[in-house]
Amino acid sequence: MALPAVALAQAQPIVALPDQSSAIRLSNRDINHLICVGGEIEDVKFSAEKAIAVERAGADAWIKFLVKETDDAGQVTRSFVTAPSEFFVACNGAIYPLYAEPSDIPAQTVTLVPGTKHHALANSQLLGPLVEEERAVSITLSLLADRIPASFSDVAPRNGAFLLPGLDGAELIERRAVQIEGAGLSASEYLIRAAQPVHLDERLFLDTALGSTIFAVTLDRFDLKPNETARLIVLRRGEQP
């Protein structure tokens, strides 16, 4: 079953989570694409009695609702599937139930993303063998390098700039916040900007305004000139404050 270029060009992303039913619309004319993030599609179960063709290869699967053609004395009529169908997709060891409504729309792309259990397991495997200081170093370096593991969950950062006591003339902006399920940790990256020269001390950031369970603080620089920016990484036990 060849996937035509037009189907790729018109694909519209849809995100589905494991172990919960997702009501989606799929094209009843073109080939729809499933993508398993972080693993492979082991199986796709559906009603064999329905006019559906499914193929899978590695992390990808394709769903096509078959068109029925009837020829009445040379008059060809095409009938497109409109009845909903259920698909149970096994992706990366989890089941994704999809309740699909065939519709007259372009080909759709459905991304099967890992759930909390997947993230917790991946983080446990990544950080479990490390002692606390090694975990802090690993997480801090990943944030400073902008190479966040896919198992870390992004959390909405705090809006706007704010000040801390002892940092006259300097303001903080939370650039990124992550939750690390399975490790019982969370982390934030802040940008520090100063209107005047300032010397920074990591102890100044052990402040409850940045969290009540801070156990590691790292700066990428300690001296700021006017309008320069420093990066601050704060690690906490537990969830984001």
Side-chain angles (χ1 to χ4, degrees):
M1 182 170 59
L3 184 62
V6 64
L8 289 174
Q10 296 178 336
Q12 300 177 9
I14 303 168
V15 173
L17 291 167
D19 304 319
Q20 64 183 58
S21 183
S22 298
I24 61 175
R25 296 172 69 213
L26 296 179
S27 174
N28 64 357
R29 299 170 180 265
D30 296 323
I31 299 172
N32 303 283
H33 187 194
L34 307 183
I35 303 173
C36 176
V37 176
E40 294 190 355
I41 295 179
E42 296 97 6
D43 195 11
V44 181
K45 294 193 179 299
F46 59 98
S47 177
E49 292 78 18
K50 296 190 175 181
I52 301 170
V54 174
E55 289 189 7
R56 58 186 176 87
D60 303 282
W62 296 270
I63 296 175
K64 177 74 170 71
F65 294 94
L66 304 180
V67 179
K68 181 180 179 181
E69 292 189 355
T70 57
D71 188 338
D72 184 7
Q75 183 69 36
V76 178
T77 302
R78 306 183 77 197
S79 300
F80 294 93
V81 176
T82 57
S85 293
E86 286 186 302
F87 299 88
F88 296 91
V89 185
C91 158
N92 201 22
I95 300 298
Y96 293 73
L98 306 178
Y99 181 81
E101 178 186 349
S103 305
D104 184 11
I105 57 176
Q108 302 293 293
T109 296
V110 181
T111 304
L112 311 175
V113 299
T116 300
K117 291 181 180 178
H118 286 86
H119 285 167
L121 177 60
N123 290 329
S124 178
Q125 293 172 340
L126 177 67
L127 301 172
L130 307 179
V131 298
E132 189 169 69
E133 285 120 354
E134 292 172 331
R135 291 185 182 188
V137 170
S138 175
I139 296 167
T140 297
L141 291 177
S142 70
L143 285 164
L144 288 174
D146 288 321
R147 299 180 65 179
I148 309 300
S151 53
F152 290 12
S153 299
D154 284 314
V155 180
R158 181 190 302 193
N159 288 327
F162 61 98
L163 304 176
L164 287 181
L167 282 176
D168 295 337
E171 64 179 19
L172 280 74
I173 299 174
E174 189 172 27
R175 175 176 178 255
R176 170 182 284 149
V178 295
Q179 192 71 35
I180 309 170
E181 290 98 348
L185 303 173
S186 60
S188 293
E189 177 191 349
Y190 298 91
L191 301 180
I192 306 170
R193 295 193 177 100
Q196 58 190 23
V198 61
H199 177 73
L200 302 173
D201 187 324
E202 290 173 335
R203 291 172 294 181
L204 292 173
F205 302 99
L206 297 172
D207 192 294
T208 54
L210 302 181
S212 60
T213 57
I214 297 173
F215 76 91
V217 171
T218 303
L219 285 163
D220 74 336
R221 61 192 303 180
F222 294 94
D223 292 294
L224 284 182
K225 296 177 181 178
N227 301 317
E228 288 186 337
T229 301
R231 298 171 71 189
L232 167 71
I233 308 298
V234 175
L235 271 64
R236 313 175 191 84
R237 298 181 182 89
E239 298 184 356
Q240 293 291 124

